[in-house]
Amino acid sequence: MFVVVEHVAWEHLGEWTRALEARGVAARRLRLYAGDSLPSPAGLPDCIGVVVLGGPMNVHEEDKYP
């Protein structure tokens, strides 16, 4: 299983989705914008990789994007 970290609703895996599905690899989406939290590594025993998607935020905008 891949973990996909989404920061905003309009970002997604795009072509990665088909590539993972073709190989029988599931993706678990973590929607931080919707209140999902990052699990501890122990909570992801089947994780083989992490994809962290982008968004409009910049490093100096912590007040807008905590």
Side-chain angles (χ1 to χ4, degrees):
M1 164 188 59
F2 265 86
V3 172
V4 181
V5 180
E6 298 177 355
H7 293 94
V8 291
W10 61 85
E11 294 288 346
H12 54 83
L13 281 178
E15 293 299 316
W16 280 74
T17 303
R18 280 190 272 188
L20 292 173
E21 288 174 354
R23 289 161 179 78
V25 178
R28 177 179 171 190
R29 296 169 61 186
L30 297 177
R31 298 175 180 109
L32 302 185
Y33 62 88
D36 290 350
S37 59
L38 296 173
S40 71
L44 300 169
D46 298 335
C47 181
I48 60 172
V50 178
V51 177
V52 180
L53 300 176
M57 67 289 291
N58 289 304
V59 69
H60 65 277
E61 296 181 300
E62 286 186 47
D63 56 325
K64 288 172 58 178
Y65 302 99

